């Protein structure tokens, strides 16, 4: 429930609403706005009878939030959230960021060369998996801690923060030591215990949309992280499963402007996993920026044909540099 105060409501009236909400056993979050204050009620399970609050002086009206999320919604938090990763800002009116790197960290030579190449072409963050959620158990599973170490060293040398996936709670402490941003993969979007744990950390989270998740389920997953206290969440559209088999997934572009209407959190797109085909990555990256994404994450490999995972959708260095040039027209001049 959201309690919207009159424009001229006084502080004592806000305090009284908060006191009444708390006396009912709920938490009240005061949300200052440009021209009026709102008070969000959290901690309720289902509908709350609003008679006790709606007749208090200074209250304009009460909005019942029927969605399974509240903290992530725009109604609750009208201003855009801008996530900081070191000096980098993601979200709001900031220019779109480009995150690039291999699907998996494979070797020192591979990750250092990729870090330098993507930095030179204009990427502002390095990606690379060390713990990989592979479809089959015989597939390359990632280098584990060695991969984390190589990723963070390559990022440091290139001057790029790094994002890498954490698959389970038991890995969190280790992965947090090396990662600037923790990635929760599509297959773990509804690993609620993991979401609760990353919510307790003071580290940005890149939450990928599950391949079969609706937008409500996606936002409800993000809500788990915010409820636990961590507000630094970046959403990522990475394609959903449809009847189409010509592409690996179907890139749901409408989700970008829709999420920007419904939520204050930044949203980026991953055209590599969304299409599964390297030739489709540059045009779909541009499409993501055109519809308003706060960033694009793509897979880049020195020799995609030899990649241990996701080679077909990975760009080589020349293709990545060409993509960056092709995006110039869509990025602000300063980008
Ligand atoms: C990845 O980023 O390499 C990855 C496994 O992505 P997703 O979870 O979207 O499949
Ligand atoms: Mn991948």
């Amino acid at each position: 429930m959201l309690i919207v105060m009159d424009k001229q409501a006084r502080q004592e009236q806000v305090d009284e609403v908060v006191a009444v909400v708390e006396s009912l056993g709920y938490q009240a979050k005061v949300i200052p706005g440009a021209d009026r204050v709102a008070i969000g009620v959290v901690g309720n399970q289902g509908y709350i009878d609003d008679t006790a609050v709606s007749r208090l002086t200074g209250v304009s009206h009460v909005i019942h939030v029927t969605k399974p999320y509240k903290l992530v919604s725009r109604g609750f938090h009208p201003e855009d959230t801008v996530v900081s990763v070191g000096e980098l800002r993601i979200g709001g009116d900031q220019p779109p960021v480009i995150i690039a790197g291999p699907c998996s960290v494979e070797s020192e030579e591979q990750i250092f060369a990729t870090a330098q190449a993507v930095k030179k072409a204009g990427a502002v963050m390095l990606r690379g998996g060390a713990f990989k959620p592979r479809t089959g158990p015989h597939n390359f599973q990632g280098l584990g801690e060695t991969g984390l170490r190589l990723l963070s060293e390559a990022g440091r040398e290139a001057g790029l923060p790094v994002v890498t996936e954490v698959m389970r709670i038991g890995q969190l402490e280790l992965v947090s030591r090396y990662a600037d941003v923790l990635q929760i993969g599509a297959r773990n979007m509804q690993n609620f215990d993991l979401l609760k744990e990353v919510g307790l950390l003071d580290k940005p989270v890149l939450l990928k949309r599950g391949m079969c998740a609706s937008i409500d389920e996606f936002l409800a997953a993000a809500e788990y992280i915010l409820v636990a206290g961590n507000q630094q969440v970046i959403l990522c559209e990475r394609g959903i499963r449809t009847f189409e088999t010509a592409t690996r997934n179907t890139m749901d572009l409408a989700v970008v402007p829709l999420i920007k209407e419904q939520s204050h959190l930044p949203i980026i797109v991953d055209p590599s996993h969304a299409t599964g085909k390297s030739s489709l990555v540059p045009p779909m990256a541009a499409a993501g920026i055109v519809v308003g994404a706060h960033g694009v994450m793509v897979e880049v490999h020195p020799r995609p044909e030899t990649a241990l995972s996701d080679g077909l959708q990975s760009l080589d260095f020349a293709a990545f540099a060409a993509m960056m040039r092709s995006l110039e027209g869509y990025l602000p001049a300063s980008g």
Side-chain angles (χ1 to χ4, degrees):
M1 185 166 79
L2 194 64
I3 303 160
V4 182
M5 301 299 290
D6 287 330
K7 284 190 180 156
Q8 59 283 2
R10 294 192 311 276
Q11 185 60 43
E12 311 87 80
Q13 294 169 330
V14 173
D15 294 343
E16 190 183 2
V17 172
V18 169
V20 170
V21 168
E22 288 175 353
S23 74
L24 294 171
Y26 309 120
Q27 289 155 261
K29 294 213 180 209
V30 178
I31 309 154
D35 60 350
R36 59 173 80 201
V37 170
I39 296 148
V41 179
V42 280
N44 58 304
Q45 315 261 329
Y47 190 86
I48 306 178
D49 181 357
D50 63 40
T51 41
V53 282
S54 50
R55 57 186 162 75
L56 294 174
T57 46
V59 171
S60 164
H61 58 281
V62 171
I63 302 170
H64 288 275
V65 185
T66 48
K67 299 275 191 191
Y69 47 84
K70 196 178 295 176
L71 301 183
V72 301
S73 71
R74 252 220 206 269
F76 202 84
H77 185 295
E79 284 82 38
D80 289 324
T81 287
V82 177
V83 173
S84 294
V85 183
E87 311 268 274
L88 192 62
R89 304 277 176 275
I90 304 171
D93 297 330
Q94 297 295 311
V97 296
I98 309 294
I99 304 168
C103 178
S104 307
V105 179
E106 298 172 5
S107 68
E108 180 172 336
E109 184 254 315
Q110 176 240 23
I111 192 65
F112 275 73
T114 308
Q116 294 300 328
V118 301
K119 163 82 181 188
K120 184 157 171 259
V124 292
M125 200 187 302
L126 178 67
R127 63 149 287 146
F131 293 104
K132 295 303 300 178
R134 303 306 303 284
T135 301
H138 304 300
N139 297 332
F140 176 60
Q141 302 287 307
L143 295 181
E145 184 168 4
T146 303
L148 294 173
R149 184 175 51 73
L150 291 173
L151 177 72
S152 81
E153 287 173 3
R156 194 171 327 122
E157 193 192 67
L160 296 173
V162 301
V163 54
T164 193
E165 178 161 354
V166 57
M167 292 206 297
R168 55 187 170 81
I169 293 173
Q171 287 165 352
L172 253 185
E173 203 260 320
L174 176 68
V175 177
S176 299
R177 264 191 263 142
Y178 295 96
D180 298 294
V181 177
L182 295 166
Q183 177 172 325
I184 306 262
R187 292 155 192 81
N188 263 319
M189 188 205 82
Q190 286 189 316
N191 181 338
F192 301 117
D193 287 341
L194 182 59
L195 299 174
K196 288 177 191 168
E197 288 293 321
V198 297
L200 297 173
L201 302 179
D202 181 23
K203 201 173 265 283
V205 176
L206 178 67
L207 178 66
K208 298 190 91 177
R209 180 182 182 183
M211 57 193 84
C212 299
S214 67
I215 292 169
D216 272 355
E217 288 163 343
F218 190 17
L219 290 175
E223 181 87 0
Y224 267 93
I225 303 173
L226 269 71
V227 164
N230 188 349
Q231 315 294 308
Q232 306 169 82
V233 176
I234 304 159
L235 303 169
C236 178
E237 161 63 27
R238 48 76 72 207
I240 50 172
R241 282 252 165 116
T242 66
F243 57 82
E244 183 56 77
T245 53
T247 48
R248 182 177 179 184
N249 291 289
T250 295
M251 189 159 161
D252 184 5
L253 279 173
V255 80
V256 174
L258 185 58
I259 286 214
K260 287 173 78 175
E261 276 177 23
Q262 297 190 352
S263 176
H264 52 89
L265 295 175
I267 174 152
I268 69 167
V269 295
D270 169 355
S272 304
H273 292 88
T275 63
K277 192 166 162 23
S278 59
S279 63
L280 304 180
V281 170
M284 295 313 282
I289 290 176
V290 168
V291 296
H294 295 110
V296 175
M297 181 161 83
V298 296
E299 289 184 337
V300 176
H301 192 284
R303 287 173 303 282
E305 59 290 354
T306 67
L308 298 180
S309 60
D310 287 351
L312 291 177
Q313 67 196 34
S314 299
L315 301 171
D316 63 17
F317 297 167
F320 178 68
M323 181 192 89
M324 292 300 283
R325 285 193 297 275
S326 75
L327 293 182
E328 269 166 27
Y330 302 100
L331 297 169
S334 61

